[in-house]
Amino acid sequence: MKNADKYTRQFFEAPKTKMKWTEKSYIDKAPQWCSVDLRDGNQALITPMSLEEKLEFYKMLIKIGFKEIEIGFPAASETEYEFCRTLIENDMIPDDVSIQVLTQSREHIIAKTFEALKGAKNAIIHLYNSTSVAQREQVFKKSKEEITEIAVSGAKLCMEYREKTEGNFRFEYSPESFTGTEPEYALEICNAVLDVWKPKADDKVIINLPVTVSHSMPHVYANQVEYMCENLKYRENVIVSLHPHNDRGCAIADTEMGLLAGADRVEGTLFGNGERTGNVDIITLALNMFSQGVDPGLDFSNIPEITEVYENVTRMRVYERQPYSGQLVFAAFSGSHQDAIAKGMKWRENKGCDMWNVPYLPIDPSDVGRTYETDVIRINSQSGKGGIGYLMETKFGMNIPVKMREEFGYKVKNISDHAHKELLPGDVFRIFTEEYVNISTPVTIKEIHYVQGDGIEANITLEYNGKKASITNNGNGRLDAVSNALKSYLGLKYTIETYTEHALESSSASKAVSYVGIKNEDGSLSWGTGIDTDIIMSSAKALVSAVNKSMKESRA
């Protein structure tokens, strides 16, 4: 591409650290979570949420289990202010939940912020000012010392207003554009703020290290975080927080490596909504931990419901391939994938396995509110017999014989291919029924009576091409006797290649299903399925269905 030479690296390497985070291979405990959907996520919407929509979203966040929720910038708009007051005055904040609000380091904004928070049981005042080289030089045109003074003066004002405002307040400071700031200066300004607030064990302070704009690979951010964690004053009383944005598509990696590097807390949004490419996706982060056996402390067991609320109130859409959350992330269209999943699920069932390890499925879809029948095995022209058979078994209770499954699989794929669309489970079942079940033309059996002797005698009343007939023949079993009668009357030559049966339901009023495959004189197989309340009649119907298909296919 042209113009690459006009770009340069805008990040600063941290002073040499021991990179202790590289010695860890996984996150072994959940961080403190803070949802910023109602502030950072909301300000990124084309149409910001109304008061009613924010309340609906807030209630969902509480239900999920968030203990810290950034609700807005109350000094910036009337809706934000009113939302804050509504939560406080209507006692909508649980005792174990803190609301968080954002404020710039300016006295009239800080004053308005504390006014909005009056009477709050637990609230976090999130103070910020931008510290990057680009912001200092181009926007504020101020020196480091002047930028530090902005932060320190804001910190002092927060202390003053806390003393004279009813409520319980904690503090958070963000050197906004941290990743474009020299780490030594970021440390200097954060320590200057900490010297004002003097955190204690019962009054801890949050230092938030935002990836306001992502400039580097994730390991660079991890080194910056480790440097801050090891050099911040009052570290035992400081909660180090991360707030990554996703400009380079690295927000998840930035956060996970930042947690390995010593951070304690994460700010993010559901589904990663936010300015530009968005914030870090808390659902993905949490379920990454969940997939490694770590309880994230948030309840994402009903992703479809969460998605529905999110899409309704934000007017955003969750991408179909969004990790864990997208409609298609557990879907297997590929025949080989479907076969592996089906065999993996059967293996788990047979082994009574407690631990999850199914091919192509990093977590159990049912743990996040998905179903195997509609979300995992999806049928189109790429599907295979294994997936189609698994769908028929799990959704409709039909355990189709392997060879029949192969033939049926090709029929379904061909129909999907010609229609250029996915087939829903109901479509697949309809195709199976129309192709194989209780086929009654040109031969229909009206009645069968059996007589026990040296073998079995079958007395059959049937209708063939509209004409009734009664026929009798013997066999070494009921199905064999019916088969011999049909062959002699119709002049057919075939052998019964496959016969299986099972109950279709587990109730006392269950039906029986039988599958019969006959090998024709030319070596081809014809399949039929019979369903009836009587197992003997279902087997006869399956045989007649196979015979009818054989005659139709021979005429085609």
Side-chain angles (χ1 to χ4, degrees), residues 65-130:
F66 283 97
K67 302 304 180 186
E68 295 177 359
I69 302 171
E70 190 168 83
I71 62 168
F73 199 147
S77 88
E78 192 58 37
T79 300
E80 305 279 279
Y81 184 93
E82 184 183 357
F83 179 51
C84 185
R85 293 311 307 160
T86 298
L87 295 180
I88 295 169
E89 292 171 7
N90 291 286
D91 196 25
M92 298 178 69
I93 307 168
D95 292 342
D96 62 345
V97 172
S98 296
I99 57 171
Q100 178 171 303
V101 295
L102 194 68
T103 180
Q104 293 174 330
S105 184
R106 301 168 69 182
E107 183 165 10
H108 72 283
I109 293 177
I110 291 172
K112 185 76 171 178
T113 299
F114 274 91
E115 178 187 306
L117 287 172
K118 184 179 178 181
K121 286 183 289 188
N122 295 295
I124 300 167
I125 290 84
H126 183 181
L127 176 72
Y128 78 97
N129 68 307
S130 196

Side-chain angles (χ1 to χ4, degrees), residues 310 325 364 522:
Y310 170 82
S325 308
D364 184 344
D522 62 2

